[in-house]
Amino acid sequence: MSIKSFHPPQRILMGPGPSDVSPRVLEALSRPTIGHLDPVFVSLMDEMKVLLKYAFQTGNELTMPVSAPGSAGMETCFVNLVEPGDKVIVCQNGVFGARMKENVERCGGIAVMVQDDWGRAVDPQKLEDALKANPDTRVVAFVHAETSTGAQSDAQTLVAIAHKYHCLTIVDAITSLGGTPLKVDEWNIDAVYSGTQKCLSCTPGLSPVSFSAQAQEKIKNRKTKVQSWFMDLNLVMGYWGGATKRAYHHTAPINALYGLHEALVILQEEGLQNAWARHQKNHLALRAGMEAMGLKFVVPEHERLPQLNAISVPEGVDEAAVRTILLSDYNLEIGAGLGAMAGKVWRIGLMGHASNPRNVRLCLGALDDVLGRLNAPIHHGVAVDAANQQLVD
Ligand SMILES: *Cc1c(COP(=O)(O)O)cnc(C)c1O
């Protein structure tokens, strides 16, 4: 047997992540590997922190990428901020809130769940009621951009309510970072984690995190050791910390960090505001095309994420067959529904590098064709024109 080199096909990634990776990032990944304590690499780490602070809009010193995917960023926040016996309110409006509950319980905490409908934002009033009923709560956690449903919650309001009741806040910003406004300092978020493969258009496998001074205070004054050695920020900071002499903690994923550095340089060149505006503009064009076809969005307009569009599958259409044809005939990947929404929705990502007019037109044209072949009840031949009208200026 002789196994040959692996060469993936060239896809267009318009699902819930990963998104298309910029060729500049792919090129950066292939640069020569150097030592993880090489002075040149240490200067890259310093620049990385500056770039991440910009992306998160924060001055937090404790801002860095965890060397593992977004789920590890989530876990880093929970294991460091939740001690055994701590009560944590988790607002759940999709798949990822359930993972937060798991994290709380595995840290020995007590999770109090506040449930909202899938496809809707977290209701601030429900959070406030839960805090009144549970005055001993230490931490409030919620997902800013629910990738499983396409709903965006009002992080600023939710954090303000949590602080009124003297709680720290953990915010999942995996899909929001770089795609929709996220202002860590202005909104006073205590702990935030993100991912690289959504709106930063980098390869998966790293998780940028940031912690406020209050969160750091809590971590320093823990009564118990963080149960995860790898994610204990007191130890990780010996490697990533600014003033300290860098000491070996783990071998950083050197080339992956070249990639993230390049992705963040691209974001800085475009400017955050411009990136947010681009995601919104392409979303509006996709929306115009979808609505012209007669397809409907799951999330009410004022709660929609521009980078993740959940579309209801029309009556009688085999949603998996549509995705299969899109992949085979157009090399185009869109996402299926998750959890309660499996089989009922498509999730179309317009994230990072993939949020561009060409992809909007391609996706609409391809859907028009495939739905036609499957005799779906839609309006044909109008979607791309409707999108073009949004894209002119
Ligand atoms: C993608 C995603 C995650 C998980 O990130 P991984 O990199 O797959 O571990 C968590 N939360 C949200 C909201 C996400 O979109």
Side-chain angles (χ1 to χ4, degrees):
M1 187 180 68
S2 151
I3 296 178
K4 301 208 169 57
S5 304
F6 178 68
H7 292 282
Q10 185 77 52
R11 305 280 201 213
I12 295 155
L13 301 180
M14 296 182 71
S19 62
D20 282 340
V21 176
S22 159
R24 277 178 60 181
V25 171
L26 292 176
E27 184 272 323
L29 289 166
S30 67
R31 292 175 193 160
T33 304
I34 58 177
H36 70 288
L37 292 169
D38 186 311
V40 175
F41 189 69
V42 171
S43 63
L44 170 132
M45 290 166 74
D46 289 337
E47 287 186 358
M48 177 78 76
K49 288 205 269 185
V50 174
L51 291 163
L52 279 178
K53 284 182 189 175
Y54 170 67
F56 276 128
Q57 295 283 282
T58 183
N60 288 341
E61 266 317 301
L62 186 41
T63 302
M64 47 149 210
V66 172
S67 303
S71 303
M74 175 187 281
E75 197 141 343
T76 298
C77 291
F78 283 91
V79 297
N80 281 279
L81 291 180
V82 180
E83 287 198 77
D86 283 354
K87 194 178 263 189
V88 180
I89 291 182
V90 175
C91 304
Q92 182 180 7
N93 62 340
V95 164
F96 292 102
R99 294 193 181 177
M100 289 179 152
K101 176 175 190 275
E102 270 293 316
N103 270 274
V104 172
E105 290 173 350
R106 287 173 190 229
C107 294
I110 302 152
V112 175
M113 300 303 289
V114 174
Q115 299 287 349
D116 278 291
D117 288 343
W118 288 36
R120 296 300 307 269
V122 170
D123 180 352
Q125 188 57 51
K126 282 192 192 168
L127 171 60
E128 180 135 25
D129 293 346
L131 283 162
K132 279 193 189 130
N134 296 277
D136 54 340
T137 303
R138 295 293 178 83
V139 178
V140 169
F142 63 88
V143 179
H144 181 213
E146 238 312 340
T147 324
S148 65
T149 68
Q152 168 156 227
S153 291
D154 180 350
Q156 185 172 20
T157 299
L158 296 170
V159 170
I161 293 169
H163 286 165
K164 213 166 103 185
Y165 294 84
H166 312 293
C167 290
L168 290 174
T169 47
I170 297 177
V171 178
D172 179 325
I174 292 204
T175 286
S176 41
L177 186 69
T180 203
L182 169 68
K183 300 175 180 177
V184 169
D185 282 2
E186 197 180 313
W187 299 350
N188 291 310
I189 296 171
D190 297 291
V192 61
Y193 58 91
S194 190
T196 46
Q197 76 275 31
K198 315 262 170 143
C199 294
L200 296 182
S201 279
C202 186
T203 45
L206 290 169
S207 180
V209 296
S210 184
F211 294 83
S212 71
Q214 289 81 350
Q216 286 188 59
E217 206 48 37
K218 160 104 185 185
I219 297 167
K220 282 202 200 94
N221 295 318
R222 285 177 61 105
K223 293 186 277 300
T224 53
K225 266 190 179 178
V226 173
Q227 83 267 22
S228 161
W229 175 83
F230 184 70
M231 288 170 188
D232 184 343
L233 287 170
N234 293 303
L235 305 177
V236 175
M237 284 311 284
Y239 183 47
W240 273 98
T244 53
K245 192 176 177 314
R246 305 298 166 94
Y248 171 63
H249 176 260
H250 64 277
T251 309
I254 319 257
N255 291 58
L257 289 168
Y258 300 163
L260 178 58
H261 184 275
E262 189 68 21
L264 291 168
V265 166
I266 293 171
L267 179 64
Q268 177 198 255
E269 284 170 4
E270 180 177 23
L272 261 183
Q273 310 278 342
N274 294 334
W276 297 336
R278 174 170 54 81
H279 281 85
Q280 183 63 16
K281 183 171 180 174
N282 291 318
H283 158 72
L284 291 178
L286 185 80
R287 182 187 83 175
M290 290 293 175
E291 290 180 349
M293 269 195 275
L295 296 174
K296 295 199 167 48
F297 278 76
V298 173
V299 177
E301 195 173 337
H302 62 287
E303 296 175 354
R304 266 177 218 161
L305 281 169
Q307 61 273 55
L308 196 285
N309 300 270
I311 310 285
S312 296
V313 176
E315 201 71 34
V317 172
D318 175 355
E319 75 82 19
V322 173
R323 284 185 296 109
T324 302
I325 303 173
L326 287 175
L327 197 63
S328 65
D329 292 11
Y330 288 90
N331 264 320
L332 175 61
E333 177 181 278
I334 65 169
L338 268 190
M341 291 189 166
K344 298 181 190 140
V345 307
W346 291 301
R347 290 181 302 149
I348 300 178
L350 283 170
M351 296 181 179
H353 189 67
S355 177
N356 63 61
R358 185 204 65 168
N359 281 359
V360 170
R361 293 186 180 105
L362 176 86
C363 179
L364 291 170
L367 265 180
D368 188 284
D369 168 36
V370 175
L371 289 172
R373 287 194 238 164
L374 297 173
N375 298 314
I378 58 153
H379 306 298
H380 286 290
V382 290
V384 177
D385 275 350
N388 282 338
Q389 284 182 20
Q390 288 288 322
L391 290 168
V392 277
D393 46 37

